[in-house]
């Protein structure tokens, strides 16, 4: 099978790393890829959002199967256009990708199909949004309706902070059109979990559960990011809770999407808050999480490719995936300045040494290869730059190996959190 993975971040590096191992994969390409991905796949210099160029390239290269990593090409209709050409695709149609592309669409679907979530209001008028905030009180959450790279959410401690967020999104338009409409919602208290399920339009195949660290600073402080590190398993979700999440959250969403005429194919990623009153949905994404995907791929024992193809073919019923008992943990290394304006072009050393650390793998996210005096240098080229991942018998053991690899990396232009996995490690110490 000739396979194309679309995207070029840590998620796509982890997917390519796994798919490259599949006996079903005869040739693996990644568009646009990155210097880390180039070790396991042939990179094609086409941007993930350049839908027409991707469609033309797939026909020319006789690609059999396309796995789309990020949400943007899905919302732009890449799946629809490839399918119209008879190409098998893993990833939802543009209509189904609205589940992530519009928070308002998602919240209305939850209300219609009884999916537990925070109460909310939708607003296109900043004055009305502010009045709603004043009426409800704080803490309260303000979200830009459209896609804002994980940064369009403000958890406001007081009313003034919430009003300021409305001004930034709706009046100053810091997220452009994504902030034309805002969702104001209830602040939920609890522990978060990232829940992944492969879906073929109808049948559901759950994967293992992970936990992400959304804020930039140690101790879960500072502004939100796309994710600074993750680990799996997430023990907070035991078997009983897992069954409840499938029944109360995932199944009605999959049924609802089909009933709306937009059946979902691909991976559903539910961001959950495990509250005192049970699991509640913060959001749905229509793709793998990043960095969560990196720990999922580290733990997956089965071949990934047949599962992706089965999802695309509507054949997930009776499909099974096997997982390593080991835990996996990933530490994200970001360029200084992230999640604001990250510094670009700083040189990263020690990658070979880090890769030699036992049970560790370094995934590339925002990196670029440059020629420095005849030698290839890897430099920072984005906010989140590396995912330093490791496996271990416990989350604590995986954490030790991951930080050993982090410490081998020589990159003065970068930083990371030093406490990824802290909740799980504390629980392990207490048990
Ligand atoms: P989202 O992009 O909607 O997942 O939001 C990003 C992050 O903001 C989540 O992972 C949570 O940490 C936080 N968050 C979002 N919505 C809420 C909420 N209703 N209550 C508390 N925290 C929230
Ligand atoms: N790590 C969370 C996300 O990918 O949205």
């Amino acid at each position: 099978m000739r396979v194309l993975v679309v995207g070029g971040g840590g998620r796509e590096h982890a997917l390519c790393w796994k798919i490259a191992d599949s006996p079903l994969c005869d040739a693996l390409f990644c568009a646009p890829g990155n210097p880390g991905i180039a070790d396991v796949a042939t990179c094609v210099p086409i941007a993930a959002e350049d839908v027409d160029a991707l469609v033309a390239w797939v026909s020319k290269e006789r690609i059999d199967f396309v796995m789309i990593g990020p949400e943007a090409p899905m919302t732009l209709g890449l799946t629809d256009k490839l399918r119209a050409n008879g190409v098998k695709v893993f990833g939802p149609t543009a209509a189904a990708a609205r589940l992530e592309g519009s928070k308002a669409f998602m919240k209305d679907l939850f209300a219609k199909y009884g999916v537990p979530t925070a109460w909310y209001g939708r607003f296109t008028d900043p004055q009305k949004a502010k009045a709603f905030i004043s009426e409800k009180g704080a803490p309260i959450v303000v979200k830009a309706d459209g896609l804002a790279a994980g940064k369009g959410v403000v958890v406001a401690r007081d009313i003034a902070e919430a009003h300021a967020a409305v001004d930034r999104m709706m009046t100053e338009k810091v997220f452009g059109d994504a902030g034309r409409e805002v969702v104001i919602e209830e602040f939920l208290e609890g522990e978060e979990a990232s829940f992944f399920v492969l879906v073929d339009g109808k049948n559901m195949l759950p994967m293992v559960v992970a936990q992400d660290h959304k804020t930039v600073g140690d101790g879960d402080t500072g502004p939100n990011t796309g994710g600074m590190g993750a680990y799996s398993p997430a023990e907070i979700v035991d078997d009983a809770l897992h069954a409840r999440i499938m029944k109360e959250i995932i199944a009605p969403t999959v049924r609802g999407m089909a009933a709306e005429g937009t059946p979902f194919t691909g991976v559903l990623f539910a961001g959950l808050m495990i509250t005192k009153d049970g699991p509640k949905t913060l959001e749905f994404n229509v793709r793998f999480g990043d960095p969560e995907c990196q720990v999922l791929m580290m733990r997956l024992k089965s071949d990934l490719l047949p599962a992706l193809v089965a999802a695309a073919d509507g054949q997930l019923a009776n499909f099974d995936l096997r997982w390593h008992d080991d835990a996996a943990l990933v530490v994200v290394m970001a360029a200084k300045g992230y999640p604001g304006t990250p510094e670009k072009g700083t040189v990263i050393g020690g990658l070979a040494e880090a890769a030699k650390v036992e049970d560790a793998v370094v995934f590339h996210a925002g990196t670029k290869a440059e020629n420095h005096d005849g030698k290839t240098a890897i430099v920072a080229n984005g906010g989140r730059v590396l995912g330093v991942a490791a496996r271990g018998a416990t989350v604590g053991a995986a954490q030790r190996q991951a930080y050993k690899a982090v410490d081998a990396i020589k990159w003065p232009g970068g930083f990371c959190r030093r406490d990824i996995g802290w909740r799980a490690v504390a629980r392990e110490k207490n048990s």
Side-chain angles (χ1 to χ4, degrees), residues 14 17-18 194-197 207-211 230-232 267 288-289 291-301 322-324 328 330:
W17 173 81
K18 186 69 191 164
S194 300
F195 198 95
F196 297 92
V197 185
M207 303 182 91
V208 290
V209 184
Q211 202 167 106
Y231 61 91
S232 174
V267 59
F288 279 110
E292 291 96 321
C293 184
Q294 302 175 38
V295 291
L296 258 54
M297 293 307 113
M298 295 282 283
R299 289 194 66 208
L300 182 59
K301 208 178 205 172
R322 288 183 311 128
W323 300 88
H324 291 287
V330 59

Side-chain angles (χ1 to χ4, degrees), residues 11 212 214 226-227 269 283 285 287-292 384:
R11 167 182 48 216
D212 184 13
K214 285 272 165 63
F269 159 16
E283 61 162 354
N285 298 298
R287 49 165 176 90
F288 279 110
D290 198 12
E292 291 96 321
R384 294 184 295 166

Side-chain angles (χ1 to χ4, degrees), residues 24-89:
L24 293 177
C25 181
D26 300 312
L28 180 60
F29 302 89
C30 188
N34 66 37
I37 293 173
D39 287 340
V40 290
T42 304
C43 294
V44 184
I46 304 175
E49 295 82 20
D50 195 346
V51 168
D52 291 333
L54 286 170
V55 171
W57 185 87
V58 162
S59 304
K60 183 170 76 82
E61 292 293 327
R62 292 168 289 103
I63 297 297
D64 304 297
F65 186 70
V66 179
M67 152 89 213
I68 309 174
E71 64 279 13
M74 301 170 185
T75 56
L76 294 172
L78 179 58
T79 302
D80 309 70
K81 288 192 178 166
L82 288 169
R83 278 203 200 145
N85 282 357
V87 181
K88 258 189 227 232
V89 190

Side-chain angles (χ1 to χ4, degrees), residues 207-247:
M207 303 182 91
V208 290
V209 184
Q211 202 167 106
D212 184 13
H213 295 259
K214 285 272 165 63
T215 58
V216 76
D218 281 11
D220 295 330
T221 56
N224 265 332
T225 68
M228 292 302 289
Y231 61 91
S232 174
E235 303 262 306
I236 179 152
V237 180
D238 59 16
D239 289 350
L241 186 54
H242 194 280
R244 189 168 166 198
I245 291 164
M246 287 301 292
K247 179 158 171 267

Side-chain angles (χ1 to χ4, degrees), residues 54-365:
L54 286 170
V55 171
W57 185 87
V58 162
S59 304
K60 183 170 76 82
E61 292 293 327
R62 292 168 289 103
I63 297 297
D64 304 297
F65 186 70
V66 179
M67 152 89 213
I68 309 174
E71 64 279 13
M74 301 170 185
T75 56
L76 294 172
L78 179 58
T79 302
D80 309 70
K81 288 192 178 166
L82 288 169
R83 278 203 200 145
N85 282 357
V87 181
K88 258 189 227 232
V89 190
F90 181 89
T93 59
R98 267 199 307 164
L99 189 56
E100 173 167 358
S102 164
K103 292 201 192 284
F105 171 86
M106 173 185 80
K107 294 295 276 190
D108 289 350
L109 188 96
F110 290 172
K112 187 163 173 191
Y113 294 94
V115 177
T117 187
W119 52 249
Y120 71 104
R122 297 172 53 169
F123 301 93
T124 48
D125 174 349
Q127 289 320 318
K128 289 193 178 139
K130 286 187 188 174
F132 183 74
I133 290 167
S134 300
E135 178 201 323
K136 293 289 188 184
I140 196 160
V141 181
V142 182
K143 299 185 173 184
D145 175 60
L147 296 174
K151 294 181 227 161
V153 175
V154 174
V155 179
R157 275 150 305 198
D158 53 49
I159 290 177
E161 193 183 348
H163 283 184
V166 169
D167 284 335
R168 275 200 309 281
M169 289 177 197
M170 304 192 88
T171 315
E172 294 162 34
K173 298 194 176 7
V174 292
F175 302 118
D177 259 3
R180 212 178 42 80
E181 178 166 350
V182 297
V183 171
I184 311 285
E185 69 176 35
E186 175 189 8
F187 171 75
L188 296 174
E189 220 172 337
E191 195 170 325
E192 283 182 61
S194 300
F195 198 95
F196 297 92
V197 185
L198 298 182
V199 183
D200 68 0
K202 181 171 163 230
N203 302 294
M204 299 165 279
L205 176 62
M207 303 182 91
V208 290
V209 184
Q211 202 167 106
D212 184 13
H213 295 259
K214 285 272 165 63
T215 58
V216 76
D218 281 11
D220 295 330
T221 56
N224 265 332
T225 68
M228 292 302 289
Y231 61 91
S232 174
E235 303 262 306
I236 179 152
V237 180
D238 59 16
D239 289 350
L241 186 54
H242 194 280
R244 189 168 166 198
I245 291 164
M246 287 301 292
K247 179 158 171 267
E248 292 179 7
I249 294 176
I250 307 297
T253 301
V254 171
R255 254 197 326 270
M257 290 297 284
E260 295 293 311
T262 53
F264 185 89
T265 305
V267 59
L268 260 189
F269 159 16
L272 304 174
M273 188 69 89
I274 312 303
T275 73
K276 283 201 308 292
D277 309 321
K280 299 220 171 146
T281 318
L282 291 174
E283 61 162 354
F284 266 110
N285 298 298
V286 299
R287 49 165 176 90
F288 279 110
D290 198 12
E292 291 96 321
C293 184
Q294 302 175 38
V295 291
L296 258 54
M297 293 307 113
M298 295 282 283
R299 289 194 66 208
L300 182 59
K301 208 178 205 172
S302 305
D303 188 350
L304 175 67
L305 190 51
L308 300 179
V309 174
D313 282 343
Q315 298 293 327
L316 272 185
N318 305 320
F319 208 94
D320 212 8
L321 285 173
R322 288 183 311 128
W323 300 88
H324 291 287
D325 289 333
D326 275 3
L329 181 141
V330 59
V331 178
V332 168
M333 298 188 77
K336 283 184 182 162
Y338 181 76
T341 308
E343 217 178 297
K344 282 196 179 177
T346 54
V347 177
I348 304 163
L351 287 165
E353 289 73 16
K356 281 188 208 126
V357 172
E358 204 178 336
D359 300 321
V361 181
V362 179
F363 294 113
H364 287 226

